[in-house]
Amino acid sequence: MIKVWFGFDGEAMSDPSPSFDGLCAVYADSWFSDEFVKKMVNDIDRSKVLSPRCIESPVFGQISPRDLSGGLKACILLYELYYDDDLYIDLTACGENCVPWLAEIFAKRDCTVSCSTFDLSFKGYDISGVCLNDGSEIKNWMDFSDKRRKFIREVRNGGLG
Amino acid sequence: MKGKYILEVYSPAVRYSLVLERQVTVISGNSGTGKTSFVDSCRQLIGNKRSPVKSNYKGRILVLEPNDNYWESKIADSKGCFIVADEGCDYIRYKQFAEAVSYSDNYFILISRSPLHYLTYSVRSVCELVSNRKGVYQFVELRYRVSESDLRVHVDTIITEDSNSGCEMYKKLLSDSDIKVESARGKDNVCNYIRDFVERFSSKSVCSIVDGSAFGNQLMDYMDLMKRYSDVYLMAPESFEYLLLKSKVFRIDDDLLEKVYDYCDSVKYISWEGYFTDLLVSVSRKYKIPYNKGRLNSFYLSNRRVCEFFLRMLSDEFII
């Protein structure tokens, strides 16, 4: 299930890299041994996990997990650290190619996020949760889209960006 | 700053080649396409003379950092510079940033999937990175997020962004057709107007005609509407004034419309929209047929060349 605040929230991470890079030093062994994470690496960044600290990129050759894309890092954090109250990511970090994975993560995990982007559509995916702006239920992708339009505008008009 | 630039940044593995002809370029799109790597390459390029990253651009490239408290003065002190900012720079969404960009003598490359509400930029400023492999290198280029459709569609209603000259013109031209013309009364109202319209008339198809030169910050919202509802379309010519100039009702140098980047100085204009308006106002004055954005001179509504040009454009897009 997703709990989402629509609009720009300065407290949310629009770039998950600093958190990911710091935590990766501790958790890389368990994160990159997980088959679900390996599949995300393969699909989103078209790369292959060779070992927990070495990824094979088709462009850069062997890279560190720190060099993965911001969208993939956000997905890994949401999947692995969903229980961490301090983890508050803005979905603007994720591109459209993260959507199938986000939908699967939100089906498996309870995640709290913000969303200041329109560049992400859950069309065709089962998505449900709570809109934190007014506490209302999000029943499906259309609801997500409608509430996002309404609240991103409201938050902006309130002067928060 | 004005002009068209091909900014090339090349590292041992990747060659970025970005064609930049407007003051603001916003890069969004899928994860893993190389946005952050591009910013990192720029960072390496300017931070280390022995860096393996090179560029064809001999001027200055400046990378803004997320926690930089001096970004305003850095922009103000720069001239003829490519200024790059990644998504983590939250301040690119702020009004102060838009004010610093407006009339600045620099070009900006901003990585952002969120709309930058306070900035004025074109739908053709909103790009993504696409890459293909040639030999040992990965070549990365920019591509517009909106593509021109060659499909003619049937629409029941056209929504214009403005309530004055553009709306008047389309109303007059389509008065004999079944297509209704309504005004959203402002760029910021277009998305809500469309949503309300499709909620009220779910069986009707609708297209907005907007000034593409300044609609960039609404584009992703509008594209989400197009995914949300079927039969919602978008037509985004540069501006209404651009179309009047293109109709050849006045004799002007083609370069003024084809190579706008050579004439539209960012110090004078925050977008090409203002440039086209000023150009039309000055040319029409010479011809003694002054153009007024607030109320369209009846000459334009009745001139055969203008009407034929607009009708041709509409019939290229719509089944009239």
Side-chain angles (χ1 to χ4, degrees):
Chain A
M1 189 179 81
I2 182 177
K3 289 181 188 167
V4 54
W5 163 269
F6 292 112
F8 173 62
D9 184 344
E11 296 295 311
M13 282 184 261
S14 49
D15 177 11
S17 289
S19 284
F20 179 92
D21 295 352
L23 291 163
C24 196
V26 182
Y27 295 111
D29 287 343
S30 75
W31 289 354
F32 290 97
S33 303
D34 188 312
E35 284 306 314
F36 187 78
V37 171
K38 286 183 186 175
K39 282 181 189 166
M40 288 199 290
V41 173
N42 194 30
D43 183 61
I44 297 172
D45 278 12
R46 298 175 303 282
S47 299
K48 193 178 171 195
V49 177
L50 298 179
S51 73
R53 293 176 198 280
C54 183
I55 314 284
E56 176 79 28
S57 154
V59 177
F60 299 105
Q62 292 188 358
I63 57 169
S64 142
R66 293 177 182 205
D67 298 318
L68 293 170
S69 71
L72 176 57
K73 288 178 180 178
C75 289
I76 294 173
L77 287 173
L78 286 169
Y79 180 71
E80 296 287 350
L81 295 180
Y82 63 97
Y83 52 82
D84 186 341
D85 290 339
D86 291 334
L87 182 76
Y88 184 37
I89 289 174
D90 188 331
L91 294 181
T92 195
C94 301
E96 190 80 23
N97 56 339
C98 297
V99 165
W101 298 101
L102 287 172
E104 209 170 326
I105 292 166
F106 298 149
K108 288 178 178 169
R109 313 278 205 230
D110 288 342
C111 299
T112 301
V113 295
S114 73
C115 180
S116 67
T117 178
F118 289 103
D119 201 4
L120 199 67
S121 167
F122 287 98
K123 185 174 183 175
Y125 291 94
D126 270 339
I127 183 153
S128 62
V130 177
C131 168
L132 294 174
N133 302 68
D134 64 354
S136 65
E137 185 188 356
I138 296 170
K139 294 175 190 139
N140 50 39
W141 72 269
M142 289 179 281
D143 232 11
F144 183 93
S145 173
D146 293 344
K147 288 189 163 83
R148 169 168 61 183
R149 177 159 305 101
K150 178 175 181 234
F151 288 112
I152 285 185
R153 214 164 267 268
E154 266 189 32
V155 171
R156 177 186 33 143
N157 292 341
L160 290 170
Chain B
M1 187 166 171
K2 59 185 178 182
K4 179 176 178 174
Y5 300 86
I6 300 173
L7 174 64
E8 292 182 345
V9 175
Y10 29 95
S11 68
V14 188
R15 298 190 164 219
Y16 297 92
S17 178
L18 312 188
V19 179
L20 306 165
E21 51 182 46
R22 297 179 196 246
Q23 192 200 17
V24 174
T25 300
V26 179
I27 306 179
S28 56
N30 278 343
S31 295
T33 52
K35 298 182 289 297
T36 299
S37 300
F38 168 71
V39 180
D40 282 342
S41 297
C42 291
R43 218 176 258 129
Q44 285 181 41
L45 176 72
I46 56 185
N48 179 0
K49 279 184 183 165
R50 291 184 184 167
S51 160
V53 179
K54 306 286 176 207
S55 172
N56 65 331
Y57 185 61
K58 300 300 169 211
R60 202 169 147 233
I61 297 173
L62 172 68
V63 178
L64 297 176
E65 299 297 342
N67 298 316
D68 190 341
N69 293 324
Y70 300 102
W71 59 266
E72 271 178 294
S73 56
K74 283 184 179 169
I75 293 174
D77 295 342
S78 300
K79 207 175 168 183
C81 189
F82 286 115
I83 300 181
V84 182
D86 204 352
E87 183 107 63
C89 301
D90 283 343
Y91 50 79
I92 65 174
R93 307 158 188 238
Y94 296 160
K95 198 172 181 181
Q96 295 94 307
F97 184 77
E99 286 166 357
V101 171
S102 302
Y103 308 114
S104 152
D105 202 1
N106 303 288
Y107 276 17
F108 292 80
I109 303 166
L110 309 172
I111 314 289
S112 179
R113 290 193 187 92
S114 297
L116 305 173
H117 295 292
Y118 296 107
L119 266 182
T120 303
Y121 53 97
S122 166
V123 295
R124 291 164 195 87
S125 294
V126 185
C127 299
E128 60 190 347
L129 293 177
V130 288
S131 64
N132 60 73
R133 197 160 191 90
K134 291 178 192 164
V136 294
Y137 297 113
Q138 193 81 7
F139 283 80
V140 184
E141 295 170 326
L142 286 175
R143 179 172 70 192
Y144 296 146
R145 293 297 303 274
V146 279
S147 55
E148 306 293 337
S149 164
D150 53 5
L151 187 72
R152 286 176 77 228
V153 295
H154 177 274
V155 293
D156 298 301
T157 303
I158 283 175
I159 309 294
T160 63
E161 173 187 319
D162 73 328
S163 55
N164 302 316
S165 45
C167 189
E168 266 184 84
M169 175 60 95
Y170 294 114
K171 271 188 176 163
K172 154 86 174 31
L173 291 170
L174 297 169
S175 58
D176 293 334
S177 81
D178 295 332
I179 301 174
K180 271 182 70 182
V181 178
E182 297 178 15
S183 163
R185 298 184 179 276
K187 178 179 73 171
D188 289 346
N189 299 329
V190 172
C191 292
N192 275 349
Y193 197 94
I194 290 284
R195 186 185 177 276
D196 291 347
F197 181 90
V198 288
E199 287 291 323
R200 275 187 291 136
F201 308 107
S202 58
S203 60
K204 299 209 167 174
S205 55
V206 60
C207 178
S208 301
I209 302 181
V210 300
D211 291 342
S213 292
F215 198 71
N217 59 7
Q218 306 287 323
L219 181 66
M220 300 321 292
D221 190 356
Y222 200 93
M223 284 172 74
D224 185 53
L225 271 174
M226 290 164 78
K227 286 179 194 154
R228 171 74 175 80
Y229 302 101
S230 55
D231 287 340
V232 173
Y233 304 96
L234 178 68
M235 197 172 157
E238 294 287 352
S239 72
F240 179 66
E241 290 76 13
Y242 167 81
L243 293 174
L244 281 178
L245 289 161
K246 279 290 269 187
S247 74
K248 295 200 181 295
V249 64
F250 304 119
R251 202 174 290 238
I252 56 167
D253 185 347
D254 284 346
D255 278 0
L256 290 169
L257 298 179
E258 303 302 328
K259 294 183 178 172
V260 179
Y261 42 80
D262 281 339
Y263 300 92
C264 181
D265 195 327
S266 65
V267 174
K268 196 171 173 198
Y269 298 105
I270 55 171
S271 78
W272 287 10
E273 188 190 27
Y275 163 83
F276 292 124
T277 303
D278 276 6
L279 182 61
L280 180 59
V281 166
S282 81
V283 174
S284 64
R285 202 179 291 144
K286 269 189 214 158
Y287 280 78
K288 311 286 185 213
I289 315 161
Y291 170 77
N292 181 338
K293 203 176 176 69
R295 185 168 173 78
L296 192 59
N297 188 318
S298 59
F299 164 83
Y300 299 99
L301 291 167
S302 55
N303 180 273
R304 194 170 60 89
R305 186 171 284 188
V306 173
C307 293
E308 280 179 4
F309 173 82
F310 272 84
L311 277 172
R312 205 178 319 122
M313 179 194 75
L314 290 170
S315 60
D316 281 349
E317 301 283 333
F318 309 124
I319 300 163
I320 299 176

